[in-house]
């Protein structure tokens, strides 16, 4: 069980040594990692964040390929981490195993559903960790805990041996405290060769999204833009309204447009409609995956999670073809289905982060870009914090 000494990050601690010879020079040699309680590990029950799930399921007979890749790469596994129950939340709370402590902001939640994996890295208990990201479950806790979190392109990292939430959206992601380790882990998981970083031809700022921040938007944009200018030149920085682009290129979103979305002050209407379409798809796939188990076992679930799970199980969503059309159109329009959350220091003692997106298939490019930018970003963060803007 989780304890004070590990900030409540772990459900279970154990050590699994690398599967390679200690004499081999491997990319992850000497590093330690933790695994979200959603990935199978041979001989251990995958708990899915809930004791009733663990009670009604047997120990795994195989280990998820993503975990095996880390062990083969030379890393040592230190245990399994707390997660939001059934991965169906991004808050970072767990009724049964406790809420992992947010090291970066102790009076706030750590974010979820990969909460324990984020806290294990932020608390320096491990060098990196594995999580899953369906609708932000790596990127959100990474931003809340002030660390790096990477969501790869859908389908490029095997989800075999991972309990599904919604297969159309599920990915295996990872956390690290520095860009070098983030890149090294990614290259093992993605089976990428070492290549020289490629200079970006343009970096676009979604200027309609940053005004939604609860802090001055220039606190984020200035750090990023000045770093890009220093390394690559200001001519590659562009500005665009992401909402307008999505609206023009994802016509099926009209089915999700309504007054409830239009009248909300703190959103970009086309992106809110997009979120609605994705939530419907997620809810339907969750019901198909786990509805029978929920109805049969009637698990003890925490507040918030319980209402969400039962709403999904009782839902009667139709026209899911429309949701898949939205996904297809968005993929064609943006090809931006991978992303990384990068910490940008703090503002009023709260963590600040920015997410970068790149087109589908550009995982290696994005990992290299983050590593290239990281040192300059840290310089600009120090300047911004010293000037208090």
């Amino acid at each position: 069980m989780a304890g004070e000494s590990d900030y409540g990050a772990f459900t279970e601690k154990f050590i699994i040594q690398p599967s390679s010879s200690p004499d081999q020079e491997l990319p992850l040699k000497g590093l330690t990692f933790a695994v979200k309680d959603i990935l199978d590990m041979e001989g251990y029950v995958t708990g899915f964040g809930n004791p009733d799930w663990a009670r009604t399921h047997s120990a795994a007979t195989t280990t998820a390929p993503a975990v095996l890749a880390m062990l083969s790469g030379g890393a040592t596994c230190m245990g399994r981490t707390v997660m939001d129950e059934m991965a169906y939340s991004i808050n970072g709370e767990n009724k049964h195993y406790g809420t992992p402590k947010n090291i970066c902001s102790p009076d706030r939640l750590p974010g979820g559903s990969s909460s324990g994996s984020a806290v294990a890295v932020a608390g320096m208990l491990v060098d990196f960790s594995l999580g899953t990201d369906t609708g932000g479950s790596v990127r959100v806790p990474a931003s809340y805990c002030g660390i790096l979190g990477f969501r790869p392109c859908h389908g490029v990292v095997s989800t075999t041996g991972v309990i599904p939430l919604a297969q159309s959206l599920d990915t295996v992601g990872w956390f690290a405290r520095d860009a070098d380790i983030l890149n090294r882990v990614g290259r093992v998981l993605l089976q990428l060769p070492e290549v020289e970083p490629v200079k970006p031809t343009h970096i676009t700022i979604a200027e309609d999204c940053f005004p939604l921040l609860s802090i001055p938007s220039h606190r984020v944009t200035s750090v990023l833009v000045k770093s890009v200018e220093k390394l690559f030149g200001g001519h590659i920085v562009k500005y665009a309204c992401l909402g307008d682009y999505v609206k023009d290129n994802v016509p099926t979103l009209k089915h999700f447009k309504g007054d409830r979305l239009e009248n909300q002050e703190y959103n970009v209407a086309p992106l809110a409609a997009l979120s609605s379409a994705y939530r419907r798809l997620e809810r339907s796939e969750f019901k198909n995956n786990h509805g029978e188990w929920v109805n049969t076992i009637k698990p003890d679930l925490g507040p918030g999670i319980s209402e969400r799970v039962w709403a999904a199980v009782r839902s009667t969503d139709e026209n899911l073809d429309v949701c898949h059309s939205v996904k297809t159109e968005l993929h064609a329009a943006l090809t931006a289905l991978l992303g990384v959350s990068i910490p940008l220091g703090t503002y009023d003692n709260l963590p600040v982060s920015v997410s970068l997106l790149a087109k589908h298939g550009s995982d290696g490019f994005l990992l290299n870009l983050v590593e290239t930018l990281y040192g300059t970003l840290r310089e600009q963060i120090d300047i911004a914090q010293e000037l208090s803007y």
Side-chain angles (χ1 to χ4, degrees):
M1 295 293 290
E4 288 296 324
S5 62
D6 59 22
Y7 307 111
F10 288 88
T11 59
E12 190 176 8
K13 287 184 175 180
F14 48 77
I15 294 177
I16 299 179
Q17 298 290 348
S19 54
S20 50
S21 167
D23 297 327
Q24 287 181 272
E25 288 301 320
L26 296 167
L28 305 181
K29 183 178 180 179
L31 298 181
T32 58
F33 73 105
V35 178
K36 182 178 181 179
D37 192 21
I38 196 172
L39 289 93
D40 284 347
M41 300 179 71
E42 184 179 0
Y44 297 89
V45 176
T46 309
F48 207 19
N50 180 267
D52 287 325
W53 182 278
R55 175 178 57 82
T56 55
H57 289 78
S58 302
T61 57
T62 58
T63 298
V67 178
L68 288 175
M70 301 297 91
L71 295 170
S72 297
T76 299
C77 179
M78 305 303 290
R80 308 178 69 95
T81 56
V82 175
M83 58 177 281
D84 288 6
E85 293 178 76
M86 302 188 78
Y88 211 5
S89 173
I90 56 171
N91 291 329
E93 298 176 283
N94 190 297
K95 170 184 175 180
H96 303 282
Y97 300 114
T99 298
K101 184 177 181 180
N102 186 340
I103 313 302
C104 188
S105 185
D107 59 339
R108 294 181 179 254
L109 294 172
S113 63
S114 305
S115 54
S117 289
V119 169
V121 171
M124 300 187 182
L125 305 173
V126 292
D127 296 302
F128 69 92
S129 61
L130 298 181
T132 57
D133 189 313
T134 302
S137 291
V138 163
R139 291 160 293 164
V140 169
S143 66
Y144 284 16
C145 295
I147 59 174
L148 292 150
F150 195 92
R151 174 203 165 96
C153 289
H154 184 263
V156 300
V157 177
S158 173
T159 54
T160 299
V162 179
I163 300 173
L165 175 61
Q167 294 92 319
S168 295
L169 308 170
D170 291 344
T171 61
V172 174
W174 59 100
F175 300 91
R177 284 188 308 279
D178 67 64
D180 171 67
I181 292 177
L182 188 83
N183 199 346
R184 287 159 64 187
V185 172
R187 296 200 168 275
V188 172
L189 276 173
L190 299 163
Q191 302 178 48
L192 296 174
E194 290 290 339
V195 296
E196 288 296 316
V198 177
K199 178 181 177 180
T201 57
H202 64 275
I203 290 180
T204 303
I205 305 293
E207 58 184 353
D208 53 338
C209 296
F210 283 94
L212 303 179
L213 291 170
S214 59
I215 66 172
S217 60
H218 65 267
R219 169 60 181 83
V220 179
T221 57
S222 64
V223 171
L224 179 60
V225 170
K226 288 178 180 179
S227 298
V228 171
E229 288 175 345
K230 182 176 180 179
L231 289 170
F232 308 116
H235 64 284
I236 73 168
V237 178
K238 314 294 182 184
Y239 294 84
C241 288
L242 182 58
D244 289 345
Y245 183 82
V246 169
K247 179 182 177 181
D248 293 340
N249 290 276
V250 188
T252 307
L253 273 182
K254 65 185 179 183
H255 296 286
F256 298 91
K257 183 180 178 181
D259 290 339
R260 183 177 64 84
L261 298 175
E262 295 289 341
N263 293 334
Q264 290 182 13
E265 181 179 358
Y266 297 106
N267 70 32
V268 176
L271 302 185
L274 182 63
S275 176
S276 180
Y278 271 53
R279 285 197 306 271
R280 182 185 294 187
L281 180 59
E282 179 186 68
R283 182 170 63 235
S284 174
E285 294 190 356
F286 178 88
K287 177 183 178 179
N288 289 338
N289 290 326
H290 307 303
E292 182 178 350
W293 180 83
V294 171
N295 276 315
T296 302
I297 301 299
K298 295 179 174 52
D300 180 17
L301 300 167
I305 295 283
S306 179
E307 290 81 357
R308 193 174 187 191
V309 165
W310 281 107
V313 170
R314 292 166 179 158
S315 66
T316 56
D317 284 339
E318 298 178 354
N319 299 323
L320 289 175
D321 287 345
V322 175
C323 297
H324 286 285
S325 295
V326 167
K327 186 172 183 287
T328 300
E329 290 170 2
L330 180 70
H331 187 276
L334 293 179
T335 60
L337 299 179
L338 73 156
V340 58
S341 179
I342 305 174
L344 298 183
T346 61
Y347 184 90
D348 283 346
N349 296 317
L350 294 175
V352 177
S353 290
V354 67
S355 287
L356 301 184
L357 300 177
K359 67 180 181 179
H360 186 83
S362 298
D363 303 77
F365 163 78
L366 188 56
L367 286 165
N368 277 337
L369 177 61
V370 171
E371 187 169 1
T372 301
L373 275 174
Y374 200 57
T376 306
L377 281 173
R378 292 178 70 86
E379 293 174 3
Q380 294 300 325
I381 290 165
D382 290 341
I383 293 171
Q385 292 186 157
E386 186 174 326
L387 296 175
S388 299
Y389 70 76

